[in-house]
Amino acid sequence: MKALRRSHTSTSSGNSSSPLPSSTSLPSSSSTTSSTSPPSSNSSSSSSSSSSSSSSSSSWIHLRSVLFVANLSSPSSVTSSDRSRRKSPWSRRKRKWALTPHQWRSLFTPEGKLRDGGVGFLKRVRSRGVDPSIRAQVWLFLLGVYDLNSTSEEREAANTQKRKEYEKLQRRCKMLLKRGNGSTDDLEEEADDQCVRFMDDYKTPGPMTNQDVVSAVNTDSSDTDSCEDNEDVQLLPSLGYSDEKKTEEENISNNSSGEHSSPPVTSPEIQVEVAVHEDFSTWQRIIRLDALRADSDWATYSSSSSTAVTESKARGLAESVGLKDYDNLESCRLYHAARLVAILEAYALYDPEIGYCQGMSDLLSPILAVISEDHEAFWCFVGFMKKARHNFRLDEAGIQRQLGIVSKIIKSKDSQLYKHLENLQAEDCSFVYRMVLVMFRRELSFEQTLCLWEVMWADQAAIRAGVGKSPWSRIRQQAPPTDDLLLYAIAALVLRRKLIIQKYSSMDEIVEECNSMAGQLDVWKLLDDAHHLVVTLHDKIETLSSQSLSI
C-alpha cells in the first residue's frame, strides 16, 4: 500500500502590483481658455497666463470626472486588472465575524429549508467561516450529507437511512475482523455460510452476479457517489474475475457431459469475499497504527473530552474494533483512536478502490473532533473524500494533476521564479506534495485548518449546486468559486517566498524552507493572497488544464 511518501511543505508569495490606469493627454490651454475663463476688458499678460492655467486645470478635473463616471457605467470595462484591485472577502478590512448561531437559524424558512436555495448561506460561510458551536450542523450541508433544498422532514428521513447504511458497513467490518486471524483457506471453506449472511443484509432480486456482489460490498447505497467525478471506478480491482472468463467457464461446463464434468468453478461471491478479506487485513494493520499515532491537536475542540469519556467506555470501544497496545493512551485519545478505526474501516469497504492509505486519518480527525455521531461523521468523510480520494490513488494521477496546476499558476504569474525552479528540476512542485495530500492539515493550526476547509467546501458546494454564476455575479467578479482554491493558496505561498527560494541551489533546501513555515501561517492572509491569483488567472488555468486533459 502507498504510504505518505514525502513530508514536503511549502511557503509562498503572491506579490503583484495593480497596473496603473492608462494615461490621458492634457487638453491644451488654447482649446479651453475661451470656454472657461471669465471675460475681462483690461487683462494683463500675467493675469491672462494665470487664467489660462486655472482653466486648463479645471478642464482636466472635469474630463477625469467624466471618464471615471463613464468607466463605472460600462459593464464591459470590468477587467481582471480592475477586479484585482478590489479587496478580497478575506482581506483584513473586509473580513467579518464567523457565521453565528442566530444568523444560522435565520437562514431557514418555517419548513426548515435554507432560503434562496442556500446561496446566502454559502456566501456567508465562504467569506467568514463558521462559529465552532454550530459546525456539526453546518458541515452536514457543506459536505453534501443534506441537500441544500431539503426540508426538516426530508433531512430526518435521510439521517435515518444513512444511519442504517453505516450500520450495515459496521456489521461487515466486524464479520471480517472475527475472521482476521484465519487463513484464506478457512474463509473459502466457510464461504457458503458467509455468503448467506452477506445476502441477508443485501437482498438482490434474481441470480446474484459478480456486479451484484460488488454493489453489495459498497452497501447497496443509492448514494454511493464517492466514486463519481466523471470517471469509472473499478471496485475491488484485485479480483481478476472478468465477465469474459466467466462466460468461458460456463461454456466449458455446459459442453461437458455429466460423467466428465469439469471441476467446480469458484463462484464470484467467494472470490469477492477472499479479495475483500486479503485487502481488508492489510488496511486494518495500517489503520490501527495510524489511529494510535494520531496527534492530539483535536483534543481541545473535541466533544468527547477527557471529562466526557470514561475509561471503561473508551476501552470498550477500543476492544470492539480490535485495538491493542493502547495502555499509554488517556481515555479521550483512546476513544478518538477507536472511532478513527471504525470509520476508516467502514470507508475502506465503501470505496474499496481507494481502501485506506496513510494520510486519510489526518483528514478524518478534525471531522471526528467536531461531529459526535459516528454515522454523521462517516458520511461527512464520504463527502470530503469525493474530491480528496484522488489524492490517494495508487497511480498518483490525482496528486500529479494538482501539482501540475500549482506549477501552471506559478509559471503564469512569475516566469522568473518558474525558470529558477526549472534549473533546480523542481518545476513539478513536488516540494508541496504534503500540502496537497492532506490539505494544509500539518501546516496550519487546527482551528485555521477548519477555517480553510470550510471556505473550500463552500466553493465546492456552490459549484455542485450550480449557484456559482448569476446569483454570485458580484462574487465572481472578485473571485469565482473554484474546486481548486487550495491549489491557488499553495501557489500564493510559493510566490510569496520568491526572494528566499531564488537563493537556494537545490530542491532539498526548498523543502527545508517549506517545512520551517509550518505553524507560522495565517489562513486569512493565505486566502487573501490566493484571491488575486484566482481573479487574474482562473480562466487561463482552466483553459490550460482542459487542453492538457484533451491531449
Side-chain angles (χ1 to χ4, degrees):
M1 297 298 293
K2 176 184 152 213
L4 182 57
R5 294 174 179 77
R6 306 175 189 169
S7 295
H8 294 167
T9 324
S10 105
T11 50
S12 65
S13 159
N15 291 340
S16 57
S17 58
S18 302
L20 293 173
S22 58
S23 60
T24 306
S25 58
L26 286 171
S28 63
S29 58
S30 60
S31 64
T32 59
T33 303
S34 59
S35 61
T36 60
S37 57
S40 174
S41 56
N42 298 314
S43 58
S44 64
S45 59
S46 60
S47 63
S48 175
S49 174
S50 175
S51 175
S52 174
S53 174
S54 174
S55 61
S56 175
S57 175
S58 175
S59 177
W60 169 232
I61 293 172
H62 174 72
L63 180 58
R64 283 195 304 173
S65 300
V66 171
L67 290 174
F68 179 73
V69 172
N71 186 54
L72 288 180
S73 63
S74 174
S76 62
S77 64
V78 181
T79 64
S80 62
S81 61
D82 295 324
R83 295 196 301 267
S84 67
R85 290 194 296 271
R86 299 179 181 180
K87 292 293 183 181
S88 79
W90 307 299
S91 66
R92 186 179 298 274
R93 283 186 59 190
K94 299 199 71 172
R95 196 185 317 153
K96 300 177 182 178
W97 293 106
L99 180 67
T100 65
H102 174 73
Q103 292 169 336
W104 168 241
R105 290 190 295 270
S106 70
L107 292 173
F108 289 90
T109 66
E111 296 78 25
K113 294 183 68 173
L114 283 169
R115 303 180 191 277
D116 303 322
V119 177
F121 157 63
L122 294 176
K123 279 185 180 180
R124 294 190 184 193
V125 173
R126 186 181 193 259
S127 61
R128 61 181 72 176
V130 180
D131 186 274
S133 65
I134 55 173
R135 275 184 170 139
Q137 304 169 50
V138 172
W139 285 13
L140 295 171
F141 289 87
L142 290 178
L143 291 167
V145 179
Y146 295 151
D147 190 272
L148 292 176
N149 291 304
S150 61
T151 63
S152 298
E153 184 178 348
E154 290 169 343
R155 291 194 293 275
E156 185 176 348
N159 189 288
T160 300
Q161 177 62 25
K162 289 184 179 296
R163 182 191 293 271
K164 291 179 180 178
E165 292 174 2
Y166 176 70
E167 290 172 351
K168 286 182 181 180
L169 284 169
Q170 282 299 310
R171 287 199 295 270
R172 293 285 296 129
C173 290
K174 290 179 180 179
M175 183 179 71
L176 291 171
L177 177 62
K178 289 179 181 179
R179 303 177 187 278
N181 296 326
S183 66
T184 300
D185 293 335
D186 295 334
L187 185 65
E188 289 188 26
E189 290 174 3
E190 301 177 4
D192 289 338
D193 177 60
Q194 200 173 29
C195 287
V196 168
R197 283 181 290 166
F198 183 47
M199 293 172 68
D200 285 341
D201 279 345
Y202 306 98
K203 297 290 186 181
T204 56
M208 193 170 189
T209 65
N210 188 29
Q211 185 58 41
D212 292 332
V213 178
V214 170
S215 298
V217 171
N218 213 21
T219 75
D220 197 28
S221 169
S222 60
D223 191 32
T224 54
D225 52 359
S226 70
C227 307
E228 56 184 30
D229 291 333
N230 301 322
E231 65 174 329
D232 294 327
V233 175
Q234 291 291 331
L235 297 181
L236 300 173
S238 59
L239 290 179
Y241 193 94
S242 65
D243 292 336
E244 182 178 341
K245 180 179 178 181
K246 180 179 176 181
T247 303
E248 179 182 349
E249 291 168 345
E250 288 176 348
N251 290 338
I252 293 174
S253 178
N254 292 336
N255 292 334
S256 302
S257 64
E259 297 177 352
H260 301 86
S261 60
S262 59
V265 178
T266 305
S267 70
E269 291 87 346
I270 295 175
Q271 292 200 17
V272 168
E273 289 291 339
V274 173
V276 170
H277 179 272
E278 292 173 344
D279 287 342
F280 193 76
S281 297
T282 303
W283 297 331
Q284 278 183 320
R285 287 193 296 272
I286 304 174
I287 288 171
R288 279 158 177 68
L289 286 173
D290 287 355
L292 292 173
R293 294 182 303 197
D295 63 61
S296 58
D297 289 351
W298 54 270
T300 56
Y301 299 89
S302 178
S303 56
S304 57
S305 63
S306 56
T307 57
V309 178
T310 63
E311 182 178 355
S312 60
K313 181 178 180 180
R315 287 181 174 271
L317 183 59
E319 291 173 4
S320 71
V321 298
L323 266 181
K324 300 176 182 179
D325 302 324
Y326 51 73
D327 292 337
N328 62 321
L329 295 181
E330 57 186 5
S331 297
C332 63
R333 291 194 64 187
L334 177 59
Y335 187 74
H336 180 81
R339 292 185 71 200
L340 277 174
V341 171
I343 293 177
L344 289 171
E345 286 184 354
Y347 184 81
L349 288 183
Y350 177 84
D351 185 2
E353 186 202 31
I354 299 300
Y356 177 77
C357 293
Q358 287 180 307
M360 289 167 63
S361 59
D362 286 281
L363 303 185
L364 177 58
S365 276
I367 294 176
L368 294 187
V370 170
I371 299 177
S372 58
E373 291 289 337
D374 280 6
H375 74 284
E376 291 180 343
F378 170 78
W379 289 110
C380 280
F381 186 61
V382 168
F384 193 2
M385 288 294 289
K386 285 180 182 178
K387 182 171 176 63
R389 68 186 297 276
H390 299 293
N391 291 358
F392 302 97
R393 291 172 57 116
L394 291 178
D395 60 7
E396 294 198 325
I399 283 284
Q400 294 305 322
R401 183 195 73 83
Q402 293 177 84
L403 291 176
I405 291 177
V406 175
S407 179
K408 289 183 178 74
I409 296 171
I410 295 173
K411 183 177 182 179
S412 299
K413 183 62 181 176
D414 195 324
S415 58
Q416 186 181 14
L417 175 59
Y418 183 81
K419 182 65 176 177
H420 179 68
L421 293 176
E422 276 188 319
N423 293 336
L424 301 182
Q425 297 183 332
E427 72 277 9
D428 63 354
C429 294
S430 57
F431 51 88
V432 298
Y433 183 96
R434 190 177 74 182
M435 288 184 181
V436 175
L437 184 70
V438 293
M439 303 182 185
F440 277 108
R441 175 64 189 87
R442 299 182 186 178
E443 284 69 40
L444 294 171
S445 67
F446 192 88
E447 175 62 25
Q448 293 208 337
T449 298
L450 301 189
C451 292
L452 174 64
W453 288 2
E454 285 165 353
V455 173
M456 289 167 43
W457 294 341
D459 261 15
Q460 293 164 10
I463 294 171
R464 192 167 60 241
V467 296
K469 294 186 179 179
S470 55
W472 260 7
S473 58
R474 184 178 176 188
I475 286 186
R476 281 187 66 81
Q477 288 180 358
Q478 294 184 20
T482 172
D483 273 329
D484 297 320
L485 181 61
L486 171 78
L487 307 181
Y488 285 94
I490 292 173
L493 266 181
V494 177
L495 289 164
R496 178 168 287 279
R497 306 295 291 180
K498 172 184 176 179
L499 296 179
I500 295 176
I501 291 174
Q502 285 183 322
K503 296 178 182 178
Y504 295 141
S505 57
S506 71
M507 190 171 76
D508 288 341
E509 290 179 295
I510 300 178
V511 172
E512 185 177 350
E513 172 65 28
C514 292
N515 288 336
S516 70
M517 291 296 295
Q520 302 180 34
L521 304 176
D522 180 347
V523 66
W524 299 112
K525 178 59 179 172
L526 192 68
L527 287 168
D528 193 29
D529 288 343
H531 169 266
H532 176 78
L533 295 179
V534 175
V535 168
T536 57
L537 296 177
H538 179 266
D539 293 342
K540 180 179 180 180
I541 299 302
E542 289 283 298
T543 301
L544 291 174
S545 298
S546 299
Q547 291 173 348
S548 299
L549 291 174
S550 63
I551 296 176

